[in-house]
């Protein structure tokens, strides 16, 4: 499928947020998805993932949460990530959702959200705090343990994709949050890939695991397509 890419700006937390947009070429409307960056920033990998969504028939927007900064070393990435304030970032992401809903080439009503690493944690918050979010997919996103109150507020169908060998996200925490969501009868699915490390989907890093990445990509598309409105 031929696609069109462009740099865009949209209203966010008190200013205009830059972003990278990819969509199928041609007439008609397409389901929309917001793609949330790893802690490295809006780099080539995230832009490639955004294009992959467009090739799969989605309008995809990756907001630049660092406003143009890209980290190349872990210490730099950690510093940029720590400078973000969650309520402010949620406003940026909500701005991306609202922007897509307004576009004539995007199917109306709801937008899907997918995030990787830091972006996965932010996608988790959008499942709870986001407005007009139709479904969420989290790739190895870290967040704290869910409380009953937090689990009850989750309104979007939730798919979590994790690596068994991810030293940064304990499997006990993943299973605890899964149990909490199911306790509150939330639509959810959790998948743990054997021997897969953190960032197993990132094909630009040594952490990449082809089999797990391909399965996770198929599950992601199926999850979003299952909750089309």
């Amino acid at each position: 499928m031929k696609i069109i890419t462009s740099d865009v700006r949209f209203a966010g937390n008190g200013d205009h947020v830059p972003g990278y947009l990819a969509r199928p070429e041609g007439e008609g409307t397409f389901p929309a998805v917001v793609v949330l960056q790893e802690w490295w920033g809006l780099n080539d990998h995230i832009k490639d993932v955004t294009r992959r969504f467009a090739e799969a028939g989605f309008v995809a927007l990756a907001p630049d949460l660092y406003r143009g900064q890209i980290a190349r070393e872990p210490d730099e990435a950690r510093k940029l990530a720590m400078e973000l304030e969650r309520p402010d970032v949620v406003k940026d992401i909500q701005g991306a959702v609202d922007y897509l809903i307004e576009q004539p080439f995007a199917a109306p009503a709801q937008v899907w959200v997918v995030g990787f690493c830091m972006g996965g944690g932010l996608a988790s918050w959008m499942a709870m705090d986001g407005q007009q979010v139709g479904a969420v997919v989290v790739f190895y996103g870290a967040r704290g343990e869910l409380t009953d109150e937090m689990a009850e507020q989750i309104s979007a169908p939730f798919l979590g994709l994790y690596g068994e060998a991810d030293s940064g996200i304990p499997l006990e925490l993943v299973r605890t949050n899964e149990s909490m969501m199911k306790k509150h009868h939330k639509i959810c699915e959790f998948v743990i890939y054997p021997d897969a490390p953190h960032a197993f989907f990132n094909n630009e890093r040594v952490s990449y695991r082809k089999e797990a990445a391909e399965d996770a990509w198929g599950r992601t598309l199926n999850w979003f397509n299952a909750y089309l409105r």
Side-chain angles (χ1 to χ4, degrees):
M1 177 180 292
K2 292 184 177 181
I3 66 171
I4 299 170
T5 64
S6 59
D7 295 320
V8 299
R9 298 183 72 84
F10 56 89
N13 177 45
D15 64 355
H16 283 80
V17 185
Y20 181 76
L21 182 76
R23 63 182 178 90
E25 189 177 64
E27 300 296 325
T29 59
F30 306 91
V33 58
V34 172
V35 182
L36 299 179
Q37 66 196 48
E38 296 178 312
W39 71 344
W40 306 109
L42 180 52
N43 58 12
D44 290 341
H45 169 63
I46 295 301
K47 289 182 177 181
D48 177 65
V49 173
T50 305
R51 291 191 295 269
R52 287 180 63 184
F53 273 108
E55 290 165 356
F58 290 81
V59 177
L61 172 59
D64 187 350
L65 303 178
Y66 290 162
R67 305 297 199 275
Q69 297 186 80
I70 296 176
R72 289 174 174 80
E73 298 296 334
D75 287 347
E76 185 182 5
R78 186 176 296 106
K79 179 178 182 295
L80 289 171
M82 291 180 64
E83 289 175 351
L84 297 179
E85 297 289 341
R86 184 180 61 82
D88 296 339
V89 179
V90 167
K91 291 178 183 178
D92 283 347
I93 300 169
Q94 187 63 52
V97 171
D98 296 342
Y99 174 86
L100 286 173
I101 288 174
E102 295 171 356
Q103 302 311 305
F105 43 75
Q110 291 181 317
V111 173
W112 292 258
V113 177
V114 60
F116 303 84
C117 180
M118 180 190 79
L122 294 171
S124 297
W125 285 108
M126 291 302 292
M128 185 173 67
D129 296 336
Q131 303 297 313
Q132 294 179 282
V133 174
V136 165
V137 175
V138 171
F139 279 77
Y140 34 84
R143 62 168 296 161
E145 185 174 326
L146 286 173
T147 64
D148 284 287
E149 181 181 4
M150 293 164 68
E152 187 59 37
Q153 292 178 13
I154 292 173
S155 59
F158 182 103
L159 172 62
L161 304 166
Y162 300 91
E164 182 184 48
D166 189 336
S167 60
I169 304 178
L171 292 184
E172 181 180 357
L173 174 62
V174 175
R175 291 306 188 196
T176 297
N177 285 347
E178 178 183 18
S179 297
M180 184 63 76
M181 287 191 198
K182 290 181 176 178
K183 173 185 174 182
H184 289 271
H185 308 290
K186 300 301 177 179
I187 299 173
C188 65
E189 181 179 349
F190 286 71
V191 180
I192 297 175
Y193 292 99
D195 302 320
H198 190 78
F200 64 81
F201 188 78
N202 190 332
N203 59 352
E204 296 184 355
R205 297 192 174 272
V206 296
S207 56
Y208 178 66
R209 297 294 184 272
K210 184 175 186 292
E211 184 175 349
E214 290 179 350
D215 183 83
W217 179 249
R219 288 177 184 270
T220 296
L221 297 181
N222 289 339
W223 192 258
F224 286 151
N225 286 322
Y227 295 103
L228 290 173
R229 296 290 190 270

